[in-house]
Amino acid sequence: MPQIHEKVHELTVGQLAARSGAAVSALHFYESKGLITSRRTSGNQRRYTRDTLRRVAFVRAAQRVGIPLATIREALAELPEERTPTKDDWAHLSEAWRSELDERIKQLNRLRDHLTDCIGCGCLSLDTCVLSNPDDIFGEHRTGSRLLVERRGRNDE
């Protein structure tokens, strides 16, 4: 990993990519989504402050556990402008995200548990399939094939 002299306070996009492990295109995407910021030189080149390394690490860690970028952006927006997220920030935010992650894990476990049944059956019937119709939300009103026909009919009009 390339070392950056401690007197260097700004990084090029290439240096930030090399140090953070994120692709240049990912860094441009993060910037377009308001997750990181840069200033432009007179030659219109991006320059990032050194603390952007920690922001990128924060974003990537949150993404790895399944937090959507919009939620990450909202969390970073709560921090005072230009402040680097700290260990305490991560602890606070991860606690807030815990219930969302627990629910997602519960849904994935349910999906995993019913996947074999679905592959074995192959019908994908909306009135009985736990994958196409989780919690049987349509079963009380109509059976599957009629529901699909009615939806198509409404959209075609």
Side-chain angles (χ1 to χ4, degrees):
M1 179 178 316
Q3 295 297 313
I4 298 171
H5 194 275
E6 64 188 42
K7 291 184 181 181
V8 175
H9 297 288
E10 292 186 318
L11 308 173
T12 66
V13 70
Q15 290 170 322
L16 182 60
R19 291 291 307 276
S20 68
V24 169
S25 58
L27 297 173
H28 290 169
F29 180 75
Y30 291 164
E31 190 169 353
S32 74
K33 296 299 182 188
L35 299 165
I36 60 175
T37 59
S38 68
R39 74 167 185 88
R40 297 294 182 126
T41 66
S42 58
N44 203 31
Q45 295 176 332
R46 289 176 168 95
R47 293 294 185 264
Y48 299 91
T49 57
R50 288 180 74 98
D51 66 335
T52 305
L53 278 168
R54 182 169 292 192
R55 285 182 84 89
V56 171
F58 183 93
V59 169
R60 294 185 80 203
Q63 279 186 294
R64 273 193 294 279
V65 297
I67 304 301
L69 286 178
T71 304
I72 298 168
R73 183 181 52 247
E74 290 169 9
L76 288 171
E78 292 178 14
L79 300 176
E81 192 168 326
E82 302 299 320
R83 185 165 74 75
T84 302
T86 64
K87 181 179 177 181
D88 289 340
D89 293 328
W90 179 259
H92 172 73
L93 291 169
S94 64
E95 184 61 35
W97 293 334
R98 184 175 220 85
S99 63
E100 180 181 334
L101 290 173
D102 287 342
E103 181 59 31
R104 205 173 299 154
I105 289 167
K106 182 177 151 187
Q107 290 172 351
L108 286 170
N109 282 331
R110 185 171 59 200
L111 175 65
R112 180 204 57 215
D113 294 344
H114 294 292
L115 189 60
T116 304
D117 297 338
C118 184
I119 291 171
C121 169
C123 74
L124 296 178
S125 168
L126 280 179
D127 69 341
T128 60
C129 182
V130 294
L131 296 179
S132 296
N133 183 16
D135 302 321
D136 196 23
I137 56 175
F138 297 119
E140 297 174 12
H141 306 290
R142 297 180 175 86
T143 58
S145 59
R146 283 186 275 159
L147 181 60
L148 286 175
V149 170
E150 286 179 17
R151 278 191 176 169
R152 283 191 192 125
R154 271 190 244 143
N155 292 339
D156 292 339
E157 293 175 351

